[in-house]
Amino acid sequence: MPISKKDRTTAISKSIETGKRHPLHYIDSRRYVQHNVNLGDGLGPLLRFFDELPEGSSKVNPIRAFEDGDISFAHIEYHLHGYGHVAGFEIHRWEDDRIVEHWDNLEPVPEGAGSGGRTVFDGPTEPTDLHKTASNKQLAARFVREVLVTRAVESLPEFLAGGEFAQHSHRWGDGIEELERLLATNDGEDATVHHTLHRVLGEGDFVLTMSEGTVGGVHSALFDLFRLSEDKVVEHWEVVEPIPPRDQWRNDNGKF
């Protein structure tokens, strides 16, 4: 039976731990476009990254994985040599059953649980309501644009059921009141501001949005994973990574 795209995406990440290089054959070396601006373009820099990791030095725990047409994406827990405990989203675009493009976002994991008592990884992992993928993507995109970008606090009741909002971010707390507080904070080290929504991916009740903005005034990539139920946003995970200045990029493809 063929291996799904999402399982192949997690296999590539898992090979960091196992040292097996076979999963890298899923990548089309002739056309591979890299959007991690800390790596050079093409397959060569990725191979060098893998080769430079000491054997047995890293652990990889795929938490949840999804497919959306020609895109596969995964939420992954890493213990990486030289980087420590890291949360990440890995996104691959496929053509002719080979990976031709890659995006990611990585962030150190804080110690302990967030203010809602949850970690940045726990919660449901398997998508449901597959027939609602398209409508859930539309709803999550509207939530980002109308609430997180324009900061229209008055729109929150339309998107949150009874004010309930299970939060896995260490920056945010649970519920509508905490989200209102966040949206009212436009500057300072706690301010998370979404400026531009670049991409929306989903499978069933899970939707990943890839946005550009600032955190504490620092230019950042904000990847938000939402779970939706009965046409409401009910749960949220995130990975936020600063985008380095343009003159520090190692490829010309851009973060998004």
Side-chain angles (χ1 to χ4, degrees):
M1 186 174 180
I3 304 174
S4 68
K5 292 182 177 67
K6 60 185 176 183
D7 285 344
R8 282 179 278 175
T9 283
T10 60
I12 289 172
S13 291
K14 191 68 176 177
S15 66
I16 292 174
E17 174 183 330
T18 65
K20 296 178 179 178
R21 293 296 178 259
H22 174 73
L24 298 180
H25 294 155
Y26 303 138
I27 297 172
D28 188 333
S29 61
R30 301 165 301 169
R31 298 186 288 171
Y32 187 62
V33 177
Q34 177 64 260
H35 290 277
N36 181 330
V37 296
N38 296 307
L39 283 175
D41 203 14
L43 185 57
L46 181 63
L47 291 173
R48 285 193 292 274
F49 169 77
F50 276 68
D51 290 341
E52 289 169 0
L53 290 172
E55 183 178 354
S57 66
S58 301
K59 298 293 183 182
V60 179
N61 178 27
I63 305 295
R64 39 184 72 84
F66 312 96
E67 285 186 36
D68 184 356
D70 63 350
I71 302 284
S72 55
F73 57 106
H75 189 198
I76 296 179
E77 178 182 17
Y78 293 104
H79 291 270
L80 289 175
H81 175 76
Y83 296 89
H85 194 193
V86 174
F89 286 112
E90 303 286 345
I91 299 100
H92 291 135
R93 185 173 68 84
W94 299 73
E95 286 184 7
D96 302 322
D97 208 39
R98 302 289 298 280
I99 293 168
V100 296
E101 199 163 7
H102 169 257
W103 300 259
D104 66 6
N105 223 35
L106 303 168
E107 180 179 18
V109 174
E111 293 185 6
S115 60
R118 301 176 184 86
T119 74
V120 298
F121 297 112
D122 59 9
T125 60
E126 296 297 326
T128 63
D129 297 334
L130 300 183
H131 64 289
K132 299 192 70 173
T133 295
S135 62
N136 282 337
K137 286 173 63 177
Q138 292 173 358
L139 182 63
R142 286 185 53 225
F143 177 72
V144 172
R145 291 191 178 105
E146 296 179 22
V147 175
L148 300 184
V149 173
T150 66
R151 309 179 87 76
V153 175
E154 66 277 5
S155 298
L156 280 173
E158 178 183 352
F159 296 98
L160 305 185
E164 296 181 4
F165 190 51
Q167 184 56 254
H168 293 268
S169 168
H170 63 93
R171 298 177 181 85
W172 307 14
D174 277 351
I176 194 169
E177 291 183 358
E178 175 65 11
L179 190 51
E180 288 174 344
R181 184 194 66 79
L182 175 83
L183 295 172
T185 305
N186 291 307
D187 53 27
E189 64 180 17
D190 294 331
T192 300
V193 182
H194 292 66
H195 292 155
T196 305
L197 174 61
H198 286 278
R199 187 178 289 266
V200 182
L201 306 169
E203 183 180 10
D205 56 339
F206 283 92
V207 179
L208 177 69
T209 62
M210 299 163 57
S211 302
E212 187 172 0
T214 58
V215 176
V218 177
H219 185 206
S220 300
L222 303 102
F223 285 25
D224 296 283
L225 181 66
F226 300 102
R227 187 173 66 84
L228 297 93
S229 178
E230 298 181 356
D231 300 319
K232 299 292 182 181
V233 179
V234 297
E235 200 159 4
H236 171 254
W237 301 258
E238 69 176 1
V239 171
V240 174
E241 182 178 5
I243 300 174
R246 180 66 182 81
D247 61 3
Q248 296 179 18
W249 293 7
R250 296 186 180 181
N251 65 63
D252 295 324
N253 303 316
K255 184 70 176 178
F256 299 98

